[in-house]
Amino acid sequence: MHLLSIDSLDDEQIAALLDRADQFAAANRRRESSTQLAGRTVFNVFYENSTRTAMSFATAAARLGAQPLTLSVEHSSVKKGETLEDTARTLNAMRPDALVLRHREDGAVATVAALMDCPVINAGDGTNEHPTQALLDALTLRQQFGSLDGVTVAILGDVRHSRVARSNAKLLPRLGANVRLAGPPGLEPAGSTLSIDEALEGADAVMMLRIQRERLDEELGDAPGEYLSRYGLTFGRLAIARPEAVVLHPGPMNRGVEIADEVADLQDRSLILRQVENGVAMRMACLELLIG
Amino acid sequence: MHLLSIDSLDDEQIAALLDRADQFAAANRRRESSTQLAGRTVFNVFYENSTRTAMSFATAAARLGAQPLTLSVEHSSVKKGETLEDTARTLNAMRPDALVLRHREDGAVATVAALMDCPVINAGDGTNEHPTQALLDALTLRQQFGSLDGVTVAILGDVRHSRVARSNAKLLPRLGANVRLAGPPGLEPAGSTLSIDEALEGADAVMMLRIQRERLDEELGDAPGEYLSRYGLTFGRLAIARPEAVVLHPGPMNRGVEIADEVADLQDRSLILRQVENGVAMRMACLELLIG
Amino acid sequence: MHLLSIDSLDDEQIAALLDRADQFAAANRRRESSTQLAGRTVFNVFYENSTRTAMSFATAAARLGAQPLTLSVEHSSVKKGETLEDTARTLNAMRPDALVLRHREDGAVATVAALMDCPVINAGDGTNEHPTQALLDALTLRQQFGSLDGVTVAILGDVRHSRVARSNAKLLPRLGANVRLAGPPGLEPAGSTLSIDEALEGADAVMMLRIQRERLDEELGDAPGEYLSRYGLTFGRLAIARPEAVVLHPGPMNRGVEIADEVADLQDRSLILRQVENGVAMRMACLELLIG
């Protein structure tokens, strides 16, 4: 079994992952670890740089007693002209117990998974999916609201290029949430006419997406603070949502660009660090489900 | 004891490594691991980038319960002007249980080994040797033919710069095989007049070597497909060998350059992935022999 | 509890660390390891490249049974514009059992530590402190002299930019040693008028600091051998110290620049490799104290 997309999971598996991750989160807070995956080897192969995701998966593997082995693209045979398929077959022949893979191209992880005999977890492929991020977001929201049933989540910013938005747009509605997607001109979901302010209206939770600074131009606002005031999550704009609306961000944040400091650091209402914490727990649950 | 060259091993040790690696390969296929090297630390120091070899050694160490610690050249003191000898003495003073070392200069691994109190495994030094590759090739051939006695192996391509060819040319004849080396003009073994087609004639196994794309020039054929048709392993050229001749390649492959897709993917006859699989098993056997 | 500076430790803790590290050094020489930190995860985050320190901490963690997870700056979110504070909070939310951090800015490690719920060890911050280096130096000197009481230590070279000098200047006097700091013009301690030769006069131990080659200019002597003859530790200059004076260097050495080969390799009197060996042992003692 692979975890390539939210579609890889049935409702029962999603519910089980959320429950199990809750337990792991509590255990991690008590700094407990387990040895249930002792002797197992988890390959972490990242074709895109990542602090949080690579460390999060490595930590998750370590806490379960498995040995994470991380390979970053700089050390890869890719530069030597090997095809992705041959790299996949090569990694498979080493018989890892699981492969965690991030790649800059949509579908690359599925291509690799089709050639692997062990479980593959998509740690983000291009603008396609990032299922463990959506799962940890769902966990974070569930911890906050008890249930996602009827919860309105506004996902804002560079939706068009966001695998996080895409996976969340699949997962959260399956758990009963109402998801609204909106972004600045050119970054909004294809065909959408919902404005950012409309998406925010009465939302229970606001997930602000990262904008690549390279995308900023005159139209989006490339002067300091311009993108923030036009499209970013300022305290003023957050007030359009419910009074106690919570804030999420997949990180890393560009403070002062897509999110204001005062919002990122909102006592009790910013769940951004809780997301990171839940990330390790959810990846433990996923590794356990797939390998265990 | 170090494993710097095929010459580091006597016949009994070679036979024992092949037998033990066979057992490890079977255990790996069942995804079993051991804890026999628990508490041991294996340094993997790579002065040249490598996916497969670095991951293969790290996986081998992990499967035996040891902790692999990998250092790539980018993070090394080399840039700070430290001599190789001082780096060796420094690593030695940290008391690893084994050092796996790849270096771009011939003899560099031996230089380091002379200063180390722990076993050193040469994971490839310049154009000199790559003994674990030859050992895994021998294992792969033995699995195929039962014994290497009387087996004819053609090693083709950039023989002149190949540490893989060099180590195999030492090892395989000691196991009873007939080794023939041949390559394109300028890349053939010094003094050899054997053509690629002559080397292939009646061969039981063909090991195609990787050609660095940077070496391709007008003489060797730098137009697309030109090197392949002149010197590469096409299906047509493979037909010069025995009808059921098997194909090996140390990887990573340049498909369409030194090897045709149809050859690389030959059902039952391409042993290329079996080589990768045997790589982990053979490195486990080597680590066990040297540390255990 | 954090280890950010020598000031983080009281005298009792320093004495306990020295005793414990002595035991670990002996165990390491017998290649024994322990499992006392099994299940623990130690993050090694290096914003500056390092061979010896990163490997030394990783080895220390591994020998205690903990899982070291190393992150180098190249893979970090820093490039994505994340603030150091957000990186700290993110790492903290992953709940490592300890964080080892090297950063190029003075005080950066303290900034991070203030945001972490786990122990933080300063593995060098800018020109500020490098407490584990001073501790391992103290251990090395204590092994040599039995006690540091009354021992005169000359710390020479680029004192102004040296976190090693700074931490030693705090630690060694607390153990009873007399510390003299001296350097070439522009690199000497602020306000000092002590010459290198004066500092050497009758010294029991000489710690030569590394000079960044980039700092060499006409005044300091950028011709080959010029810095060495003017300010480096030649055998002749060492003779100003006590006849049996020992030599230390935090590494990596620039041979022929700040230290002559004949001094670096002085039989019995060069303690440079003993320092490396004690580095692993002292870091084990620190991890044990902070996590255990």
Side-chain angles (χ1 to χ4, degrees):
Chain A
M1 179 192 171
H2 302 304
L3 178 48
L4 304 178
S5 156
I6 289 302
D7 304 330
S8 306
L9 300 166
D10 62 30
D11 292 348
E12 222 168 302
Q13 287 169 324
I14 291 168
L17 284 173
L18 290 168
D19 289 348
R20 195 69 177 115
D22 245 341
Q23 296 173 345
F24 283 129
N28 289 346
R29 240 168 281 135
R30 294 189 303 265
R31 287 202 153 74
E32 289 170 15
S33 61
S34 101
T35 57
Q36 64 188 104
L37 296 186
R40 305 296 195 145
T41 304
V42 175
F43 283 8
N44 286 313
V45 180
F46 279 72
Y47 284 79
E48 278 183 1
N49 284 340
S50 159
T51 296
R52 74 187 56 223
T53 312
M55 283 298 261
S56 180
F57 272 107
T59 303
R63 277 209 200 295
L64 293 167
Q67 174 68 52
L69 295 179
T70 298
L71 180 72
S72 71
V73 74
E74 283 86 14
H75 307 171
S76 110
S77 293
V78 176
K79 288 184 179 165
K80 297 191 186 169
E82 192 178 60
T83 65
L84 181 65
E85 285 80 0
D86 281 337
T87 301
R89 291 184 197 103
T90 298
L91 293 172
N92 186 51
M94 295 184 196
R95 307 274 176 217
D97 294 290
L99 169 66
V100 175
L101 181 62
R102 169 167 287 190
H103 201 282
R104 69 179 64 82
E105 284 172 34
D106 294 31
V109 179
T111 300
V112 168
L115 298 165
M116 301 291 294
D117 296 315
C118 72
V120 174
I121 299 181
N122 181 0
D125 64 323
T127 62
N128 181 33
E129 283 225 34
H130 190 0
T132 60
Q133 177 72 40
L135 286 161
L136 73 88
D137 290 335
L139 176 63
T140 305
L141 291 166
R142 198 178 76 156
Q143 287 169 351
Q144 185 68 20
F145 297 106
S147 155
L148 270 76
D149 205 36
V151 171
T152 297
V153 183
I155 303 180
L156 306 178
D158 184 4
V159 171
R160 191 164 298 179
H161 302 95
S162 175
R163 53 199 179 205
V164 174
R166 215 171 138 78
S167 288
N168 268 301
K170 289 182 172 185
L171 176 62
L172 302 185
R174 287 176 61 181
L175 295 164
N178 308 311
V179 170
R180 300 173 185 164
L181 302 166
L187 303 179
E188 75 277 52
S192 164
T193 57
L194 196 70
S195 74
I196 289 179
D197 286 4
E198 288 165 348
L200 276 166
E201 183 95 30
D204 299 294
V206 184
M207 186 183 298
M208 198 65 211
L209 301 173
R210 177 182 169 72
I211 172 90
Q212 313 283 134
R213 282 162 192 263
E214 309 85 79
R215 294 209 204 282
L216 297 185
D217 56 14
E218 214 176 309
E219 200 193 347
L220 288 173
D222 52 7
E226 205 180 346
Y227 182 88
L228 179 66
S229 72
R230 285 200 207 164
Y231 308 112
L233 197 57
T234 58
F235 196 73
R237 193 164 282 122
L238 179 60
I240 304 173
R242 285 251 173 119
E244 289 309 302
V246 295
V247 175
L248 294 90
H249 189 296
M253 289 187 281
N254 285 307
R255 288 170 173 264
V257 182
E258 77 264 358
I259 191 166
D261 283 339
E262 56 198 2
V263 174
D265 300 329
L266 254 185
Q267 193 73 27
D268 297 326
R269 292 175 59 191
S270 169
L271 306 181
I272 295 170
L273 293 171
R274 180 58 66 97
Q275 288 173 277
V276 178
E277 190 172 2
N278 284 330
V280 174
M282 181 51 78
R283 280 145 192 155
M284 291 172 74
C286 291
L287 288 170
E288 182 189 54
L289 173 69
L290 295 174
I291 305 177
Chain B
M1 178 192 171
H2 302 303
L3 177 48
L4 304 178
S5 156
I6 289 302
D7 304 330
S8 307
L9 300 166
D10 63 29
D11 291 349
E12 222 168 301
Q13 288 168 323
I14 290 168
L17 285 173
L18 291 169
D19 289 349
R20 195 69 177 115
D22 245 343
Q23 296 173 344
F24 282 128
N28 290 345
R29 240 168 280 135
R30 295 188 303 264
R31 287 201 154 74
E32 290 170 14
S33 61
S34 102
T35 57
Q36 65 188 102
L37 295 186
R40 304 296 194 147
T41 305
V42 176
F43 283 8
N44 286 313
V45 179
F46 279 72
Y47 284 81
E48 277 183 3
N49 285 340
S50 158
T51 296
R52 76 186 55 223
T53 312
M55 283 298 261
S56 180
F57 271 108
T59 303
R63 277 208 200 296
L64 293 169
Q67 174 68 53
L69 295 178
T70 299
L71 180 71
S72 72
V73 74
E74 282 85 15
H75 306 172
S76 109
S77 293
V78 176
K79 288 185 179 166
K80 298 191 186 169
E82 191 177 62
T83 65
L84 181 65
E85 285 79 1
D86 281 337
T87 300
R89 291 185 197 103
T90 298
L91 294 172
N92 186 51
M94 295 185 197
R95 306 273 176 219
D97 294 290
L99 170 65
V100 174
L101 181 62
R102 168 168 287 193
H103 201 281
R104 69 180 64 83
E105 284 173 35
D106 293 33
V109 179
T111 300
V112 168
L115 298 166
M116 301 291 294
D117 297 315
C118 72
V120 174
I121 299 180
N122 181 0
D125 64 323
T127 62
N128 181 33
E129 283 226 34
H130 190 359
T132 61
Q133 177 72 41
L135 286 161
L136 73 89
D137 290 336
L139 176 63
T140 305
L141 291 167
R142 198 179 78 157
Q143 287 170 351
Q144 185 67 21
F145 297 106
S147 154
L148 270 77
D149 205 35
V151 172
T152 296
V153 183
I155 303 181
L156 306 178
D158 184 4
V159 171
R160 191 164 298 179
H161 303 96
S162 176
R163 52 199 180 205
V164 174
R166 213 170 141 77
S167 288
N168 268 301
K170 289 182 171 185
L171 177 62
L172 302 185
R174 287 176 61 181
L175 296 163
N178 308 312
V179 171
R180 300 173 185 165
L181 302 166
L187 304 179
E188 75 277 53
S192 163
T193 58
L194 195 70
S195 75
I196 289 178
D197 286 6
E198 288 165 348
L200 276 166
E201 183 95 31
D204 300 293
V206 184
M207 185 183 298
M208 197 64 210
L209 301 173
R210 176 183 171 70
I211 173 91
Q212 314 283 133
R213 282 163 192 263
E214 309 86 79
R215 293 208 204 282
L216 297 185
D217 58 13
E218 213 176 310
E219 199 193 346
L220 288 173
D222 52 5
E226 205 181 346
Y227 182 88
L228 179 66
S229 74
R230 285 202 206 163
Y231 308 111
L233 196 58
T234 58
F235 195 73
R237 193 164 284 123
L238 179 60
I240 304 173
R242 286 250 174 119
E244 289 308 303
V246 295
V247 174
L248 294 91
H249 189 297
M253 288 187 280
N254 286 306
R255 287 169 174 267
V257 181
E258 77 264 358
I259 191 165
D261 283 339
E262 56 199 2
V263 174
D265 301 328
L266 255 186
Q267 193 74 27
D268 298 326
R269 292 174 59 192
S270 168
L271 306 181
I272 295 170
L273 294 172
R274 180 57 66 97
Q275 288 173 278
V276 177
E277 191 172 2
N278 284 331
V280 174
M282 181 51 78
R283 280 146 192 154
M284 290 172 75
C286 292
L287 288 170
E288 183 189 54
L289 173 68
L290 295 174
I291 306 178
Chain C
M1 179 192 168
H2 302 303
L3 178 48
L4 304 179
S5 156
I6 288 302
D7 304 330
S8 305
L9 299 167
D10 63 29
D11 291 349
E12 222 167 303
Q13 288 169 323
I14 291 169
L17 285 172
L18 291 168
D19 288 349
R20 195 68 176 116
D22 245 342
Q23 296 173 344
F24 282 129
N28 290 345
R29 240 168 282 136
R30 296 188 303 265
R31 285 200 156 73
E32 290 170 13
S33 61
S34 102
T35 57
Q36 64 187 103
L37 296 186
R40 305 297 194 145
T41 305
V42 176
F43 284 8
N44 285 313
V45 179
F46 279 72
Y47 283 80
E48 278 183 2
N49 285 340
S50 159
T51 296
R52 75 187 55 222
T53 312
M55 283 298 260
S56 180
F57 272 107
T59 303
R63 277 209 199 295
L64 292 168
Q67 174 68 53
L69 295 178
T70 299
L71 181 71
S72 71
V73 74
E74 283 86 15
H75 307 171
S76 110
S77 293
V78 176
K79 287 185 180 165
K80 298 192 186 169
E82 191 176 63
T83 65
L84 181 65
E85 286 79 2
D86 281 337
T87 301
R89 291 185 197 103
T90 297
L91 294 171
N92 187 51
M94 295 185 196
R95 306 274 176 218
D97 294 290
L99 170 66
V100 174
L101 181 63
R102 169 168 287 192
H103 200 283
R104 68 178 64 81
E105 283 173 35
D106 293 32
V109 179
T111 300
V112 168
L115 298 166
M116 301 291 293
D117 297 315
C118 72
V120 174
I121 299 180
N122 181 1
D125 64 323
T127 62
N128 181 35
E129 283 226 33
H130 190 358
T132 60
Q133 177 71 39
L135 287 162
L136 73 88
D137 290 336
L139 177 64
T140 305
L141 291 166
R142 199 180 76 157
Q143 287 170 350
Q144 185 68 20
F145 297 105
S147 154
L148 270 77
D149 205 36
V151 172
T152 296
V153 183
I155 303 181
L156 306 177
D158 185 3
V159 171
R160 192 165 299 178
H161 303 95
S162 175
R163 53 199 179 204
V164 174
R166 213 170 140 78
S167 288
N168 268 302
K170 288 181 173 187
L171 176 62
L172 302 186
R174 287 176 61 182
L175 296 164
N178 308 311
V179 171
R180 300 172 185 164
L181 301 167
L187 304 179
E188 75 278 52
S192 164
T193 57
L194 196 70
S195 74
I196 289 179
D197 286 5
E198 288 164 348
L200 276 166
E201 183 95 30
D204 299 293
V206 184
M207 185 183 298
M208 198 65 210
L209 301 173
R210 177 182 169 71
I211 173 91
Q212 313 284 133
R213 282 163 192 261
E214 309 86 79
R215 293 207 205 282
L216 297 185
D217 57 15
E218 213 175 310
E219 201 193 345
L220 287 173
D222 52 6
E226 205 180 345
Y227 182 88
L228 179 66
S229 73
R230 284 200 208 166
Y231 309 111
L233 196 57
T234 57
F235 196 73
R237 192 164 284 124
L238 179 60
I240 305 172
R242 285 248 174 122
E244 290 309 302
V246 294
V247 174
L248 293 91
H249 189 297
M253 287 188 282
N254 285 305
R255 287 169 174 265
V257 182
E258 78 264 357
I259 191 166
D261 283 339
E262 57 198 0
V263 174
D265 300 328
L266 255 186
Q267 193 74 26
D268 298 326
R269 292 174 59 191
S270 169
L271 306 182
I272 295 169
L273 294 171
R274 179 58 65 97
Q275 288 173 278
V276 177
E277 189 172 4
N278 284 331
V280 174
M282 181 51 78
R283 280 145 193 155
M284 291 173 75
C286 292
L287 288 170
E288 182 188 55
L289 172 69
L290 295 174
I291 306 178

